[in-house]
C-alpha cells in the first residue's frame, strides 16, 4: 500500500460521496447556509479530484498530464462545476449582468451531489480491477498486434492527400452554407444526412498537423519537415478564424504541443505561452465578426471572400450598438469568464425539472438513446431516417428553460442528461463507464506508441470533454476508435517497408 495514499480508490470514493450526501441532505440551513453548503461541496470535490490526480501521478508518472482521467477531471468537472461556482460569491449586481441568478437553490446543491457521485464513479471505474483486466486483454489481443503500427513511418503522399481533402471539404461546406459560425440553420438541416462526413474530411487537416508534429518531435530521426509543419499550422489557424470559433484558432497550437509532449515527455512552454495569446487575438477578431455576421447586409456566408472581408472590417470598425459582449465587459472580465465556463446553474434547472415535472410528449428518449448508441454509431442516417438528431439542446431551452423564441440550444451537462435517463444510479453507471474507457486509452494505446498514439488522440476528446448528450460519447468512442485504427493502418508503413519521407 502506498503510504502517501492509504485509502484505496473505492474507499476514498465512498467517503467523499457520503460526505457530499451528508452536506446536502443532513446539514440544516440553520447550521450552514445554502451558499456555505455550496462552498463546502466545491472544496470537497476539488480536494477529491486533487487526491486522485496526485495518486495517478505517483503511480504512473509517464505522460500523466495527458491521461484522459486527468483531463476529464479538469475540463468536465473542475472547470465547469468548481471554478464557475465562484460566481455565487460575487456581488449580485455583477452576476445579474451576465444573465445569471446568484441564489443557491436546492437543485444546485443536488446537482453538486450528482457531480461528486459522478467524479467518484469515474475514478473508481478508472482504478477498478475490471478496467485493468479489460486493458490486459486488449494488450494481448492478436488483432491489435496485427493492426497497430509500431512506428511513425508515414506513407508518401499522406500529408498532401489529407490537406487536399480537408481543403476541398472546407470550401464545399462554405459553399453549402454549413461552415462554422457562418452556417445557415436551414442549410444545416437540409444537409444533415451527409454533413458529418464533410466534417470528418475537414478534420483531416488537423490530423495532418498531428502527424507532422509527432514526426517532427520524434527523438528517433525527427526534426524533419519543419517548414511544412509551420505551413500547415498557419493554414489551420487561418481556417480557425474563418470558422468563427475561438477554440479553432487555438487548437492547432494545442495539437503541436500535444505532439511535443507525447514524443518527448516535456512541456513545450513556448507553445503553451502562444495558446492564450491566440485566444486573445481570436477574441478581438471573432467577437466583432459574430455581431457583423447578422448586422451586415452585404455578408454572404457561402463565400470565402465575403466571410474574410466582413471579419477584417468588423475587427477594425468601432461598434455603435450595445451588445451582449459590452454587457459582459461592464460586469468585468473575471465574471464574464466564470459565466462562460460555469455549468452549475444551467445544469441544475434540468435536475429541478426532472424532480418536479413528468417529461412532456415528444421529449428525447434519454435511456433508450444510450442503449441504442452502438446501433446509432454503425447505421448511417441515409438508411435510418428517423434516427435521433441530438435535438436535446433545443429541447432543453424550450421545455426546461421555457424559452420559445429562436433556435438557440444549450448544453445541459452529462450529469443532467444521465439524471433524466435514470436518476443518480444512471450518473454513477455512466461515469463508471467513462472511467473504464479512459483506462483503456491510458494502458493500451499510449504504451503502444506509433499508431497507438494516433488512436489515443482520436479517442481523447470524447473521453475527456464529456458531451452533454451522453449517448453521443458512446457513438464517438465506437466511431473514432474504428476510424483511428483504420487511418493509422493506412497512413503508417509497417516496419518491414523501406523508410521514406512523406511528400
Amino acid at each position: 500500500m502506498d503510504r502517501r495514499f492509504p485509502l484505496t480508490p473505492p474507499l476514498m470514493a465512498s467517503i467523499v460521496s457520503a460526505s457530499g450526501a451528508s452536506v446536502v441532505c443532513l446539514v440544516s440551513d440553520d447550521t450552514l447556509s445554502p451558499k456555505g453548503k455550496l462552498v463546502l461541496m466545491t472544496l470537497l470535490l476539488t480536494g477529491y479530484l486533487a487526491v486522485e490526480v496526485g495518486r495517478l501521478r505517483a503511480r504512473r508518472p509517464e505522460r500523466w498530464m495527458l491521461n484522459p482521467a486527468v483531463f476529464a477531471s479538469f475540463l468536465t468537472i473542475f472547470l465547469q462545476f468548481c471554478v464557475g461556482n465562484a460566481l455565487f460569491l460575487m456581488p449580485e449586481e455583477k452576476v445579474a449582468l451576465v444573465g445569471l441568478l446568484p441564489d443557491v437553490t436546492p437543485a444546485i446543491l443536488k446537482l453538486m451531489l450528482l457531480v461528486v457521485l459522478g467524479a467518484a464513479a469515474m475514478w473508481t471505474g478508472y482504478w477498478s480491477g475490471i478496467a485493468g483486466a479489460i486493458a490486459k486483454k486488449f494488450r494481448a489481443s492478436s488483432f491489435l498486434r496485427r493492426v497497430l503500427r509500431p512506428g511513425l513511418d508515414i506513407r508518401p503522399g499522406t500529408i498532401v492527400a489529407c490537406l487536399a481533402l480537408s481543403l476541398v471539404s472546407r470550401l464545399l461546406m462554405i459553399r453549402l452554407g454549413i461552415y462554422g459560425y457562418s452556417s445557415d440553420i436551414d442549410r444545416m438541416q437540409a444537409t444533415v444526412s451527409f454533413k458529418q462526413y464533410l466534417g470528418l474530411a475537414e478534420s483531416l487537416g488537423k490530423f495532418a498537423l498531428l502527424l507532422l508534429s509527432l514526426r517532427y518531435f520524434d527523438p528517433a530521426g525527427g526534426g524533419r519537415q519543419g517548414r511544412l509543419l509551420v505551413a500547415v499550422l498557419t493554414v489551420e489557424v487561418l481556417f480557425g478564424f474563418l470558422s468563427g470559433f475561438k477554440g479553432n484558432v487555438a487548437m492547432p497550437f494545442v495539437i503541436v504541443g500535444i505532439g511535443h509532449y507525447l514524443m518527448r515527455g516535456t512541456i513545450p512552454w513556448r507553445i503553451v505561452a502562444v495558446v492564450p495569446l491566440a485566444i486573445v487575438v481570436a477574441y478581438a477578431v471573432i467577437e466583432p465578426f459574430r455581431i457583423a455576421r447578422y448586422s451586415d447586409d452585404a455578408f454572404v456566408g457561402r463565400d470565402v471572400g465575403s466571410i474574410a472581408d466582413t471579419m477584417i472590417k468588423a475587427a477594425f470598425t468601432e461598434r455603435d450598438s450595445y451588445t451582449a459582449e459590452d454587457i459582459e465587459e461592464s460586469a468585468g472580465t473575471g465574471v464574464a469568464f466564470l459565466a462562460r465556463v460555469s455549468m452549475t446553474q444551467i445544469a441544475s434547472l434540468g435536475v429541478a425539472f426532472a424532480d418536479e415535472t413528468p417529461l412532456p410528449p415528444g421529449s428525447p428518449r434519454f435511456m433508450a438513446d444510450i442503449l441504442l448508441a452502438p446501433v446509432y454509431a454503425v447505421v448511417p442516417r441515409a438508411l435510418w431516417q428517423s434516427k435521433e438528431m441530438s435535438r436535446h439542446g433545443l429541447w432543453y431551452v424550450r421545455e426546461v428553460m421555457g424559452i420559445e423564441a429562436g433556435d438557440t440550444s444549450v448544453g445541459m451537462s452529462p450529469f443532467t442528461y444521465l439524471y433524466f435517463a435514470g436518476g443518480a444510479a444512471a450518473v454513477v453507471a455512466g461515469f463508471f463507464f467513462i472511467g473504464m474507457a479512459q483506462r483503456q486509452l491510458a494502458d493500451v494505446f499510449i504504451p503502444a506508441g506509433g499508431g497507438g498514439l494516433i488512436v489515443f488522440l482520436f479517442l481523447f476528446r470524447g473521453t475527456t470533454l464529456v458531451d452533454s448528450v451522453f449517448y453521443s460519447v458512446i457513438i464517438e468512442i465506437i466511431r473514432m476508435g474504428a476510424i483511428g485504427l483504420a487511418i493509422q493502418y493506412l497512413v503508417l508503413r509497417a516496419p518491414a517497408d523501406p523508410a521514406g519521407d512523406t511528400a
Side-chain angles (χ1 to χ4, degrees):
M1 181 175 64
D2 192 334
R3 293 181 179 180
R4 292 170 294 179
F5 303 95
L7 299 178
T8 63
L11 181 57
M12 183 71 180
S14 300
I15 292 173
V16 169
S17 300
S19 300
S22 298
V23 171
V24 173
C25 303
L26 301 181
V27 178
S28 67
D29 289 350
D30 294 333
T31 304
L32 193 63
S33 69
K35 283 191 178 182
K37 290 182 180 181
L38 180 64
V39 170
L40 197 55
M41 291 289 289
T42 303
L43 292 176
L44 176 68
L45 180 58
T46 302
Y48 172 66
L49 294 175
V51 168
E52 291 296 355
V53 170
R55 189 197 307 272
L56 186 140
R57 184 182 182 186
R59 290 185 178 182
R60 303 177 179 188
E62 186 74 14
R63 309 293 193 273
W64 70 273
M65 292 184 68
L66 270 182
N67 186 286
V70 172
F71 254 69
S73 294
F74 178 74
L75 292 178
T76 299
I77 302 174
F78 177 71
L79 192 62
Q80 297 181 8
F81 296 99
C82 292
V83 173
N85 286 350
L87 282 170
F88 296 96
L89 304 178
M90 292 185 170
E92 294 185 6
E93 60 275 10
K94 284 203 168 187
V95 177
L97 284 173
V98 291
L100 298 177
L101 300 175
D103 294 331
V104 178
T105 64
I108 285 177
L109 294 175
K110 186 170 184 178
L111 169 74
M112 287 302 298
L113 177 57
L114 294 174
V115 177
V116 169
L117 292 174
M122 184 187 78
W123 278 104
T124 302
Y126 183 89
W127 292 118
S128 66
I130 186 173
I134 294 172
K136 186 177 180 180
K137 289 284 187 182
F138 273 132
R139 287 195 301 271
S141 165
S142 59
F143 171 75
L144 283 184
R145 286 202 301 267
R146 289 196 308 270
V147 172
L148 282 181
R149 301 298 197 192
L152 289 169
D153 188 7
I154 305 171
R155 293 183 186 275
T158 294
I159 301 297
V160 172
C162 287
L163 293 175
L165 285 171
S166 177
L167 178 62
V168 170
S169 66
R170 283 166 167 162
L171 294 177
L172 183 57
M173 290 171 76
I174 292 173
R175 188 64 179 171
L176 292 172
I178 57 173
Y179 188 70
Y181 203 80
S182 302
S183 298
D184 178 85
I185 186 66
D186 294 331
R187 297 298 303 161
M188 293 282 285
Q189 293 174 350
T191 58
V192 68
S193 61
F194 63 85
K195 68 181 177 67
Q196 60 179 323
Y197 302 111
L198 290 176
L200 286 173
E202 178 205 0
S203 67
L204 289 175
K206 292 183 177 63
F207 178 64
L209 180 63
L210 172 63
L211 285 177
L212 286 169
S213 300
L214 293 173
R215 182 70 178 272
Y216 182 78
F217 294 117
D218 186 356
R224 288 176 289 177
Q225 300 176 324
R227 292 181 179 179
L228 182 58
L229 175 63
V230 173
V232 175
L233 175 65
T234 302
V235 170
E236 288 300 308
V237 171
L238 290 176
F239 272 102
F241 278 106
L242 287 176
S243 75
F245 293 112
K246 295 180 284 292
N248 287 348
V249 177
M251 185 54 65
F253 298 103
V254 174
I255 290 173
V256 174
I258 287 175
H260 183 287
Y261 184 71
L262 279 174
M263 300 310 298
R264 300 192 177 180
T266 58
I267 301 174
W269 292 111
R270 292 182 180 179
I271 299 174
V272 170
V274 172
V275 173
L277 177 61
I279 293 175
V280 170
V281 174
Y283 190 92
V285 174
I286 288 176
E287 288 300 336
F289 165 73
R290 290 185 172 188
I291 299 168
R293 179 251 187 276
Y294 291 103
S295 60
D296 187 356
D297 295 335
F299 176 77
V300 180
R302 299 168 69 175
D303 180 78
V304 176
S306 177
I307 295 172
D309 185 59
T310 301
M311 186 170 290
I312 294 171
K313 287 181 179 178
F316 294 97
T317 302
E318 292 187 6
R319 290 172 286 160
D320 297 325
S321 58
Y322 194 61
T323 66
E325 286 71 24
D326 298 314
I327 296 174
E328 287 188 356
E329 185 177 343
S330 66
T333 303
V335 174
F337 169 76
L338 292 174
R340 286 179 179 271
V341 302
S342 176
M343 289 289 294
T344 302
Q345 188 174 88
I346 292 293
S348 72
L349 299 177
V351 173
F353 187 88
D355 287 341
E356 299 168 1
T357 310
L359 290 180
S363 297
R365 303 173 301 164
F366 294 94
M367 180 56 75
D369 287 334
I370 293 176
L371 298 176
L372 287 171
V375 185
Y376 290 163
V378 298
V379 179
R381 189 171 299 278
L383 300 178
W384 189 354
Q385 294 293 333
S386 61
K387 188 167 70 169
E388 180 58 63
M389 297 178 61
S390 295
R391 55 197 167 91
H392 303 71
L394 182 60
W395 172 87
Y396 197 79
V397 169
R398 292 179 176 176
E399 297 292 343
V400 176
M401 301 177 68
I403 301 174
E404 293 291 340
D407 295 310
T408 303
S409 65
V410 299
M412 68 181 77
S413 92
F415 303 97
T416 306
Y417 181 101
L418 288 167
Y419 191 70
F420 275 122
V427 173
V428 171
F431 274 85
F432 188 88
F433 165 79
I434 292 293
M436 289 199 302
Q438 293 164 344
R439 179 74 174 272
Q440 310 315 305
L441 267 67
D443 284 14
V444 177
F445 295 110
I446 289 183
L453 295 179
I454 293 175
V455 179
F456 166 77
L457 291 171
F458 265 82
L459 291 167
F460 186 73
R461 181 191 177 280
T463 56
T464 55
L465 187 58
V466 183
D467 200 292
S468 287
V469 183
F470 187 82
Y471 80 86
S472 66
V473 176
I474 301 172
I475 293 175
E476 185 162 354
I477 289 174
I478 295 172
R479 285 180 177 172
M480 291 297 102
I483 291 172
L485 282 171
I487 285 184
Q488 64 84 33
Y489 186 83
L490 292 173
V491 304
L492 300 179
R493 294 194 289 192
D497 289 347
D501 292 330
T502 301

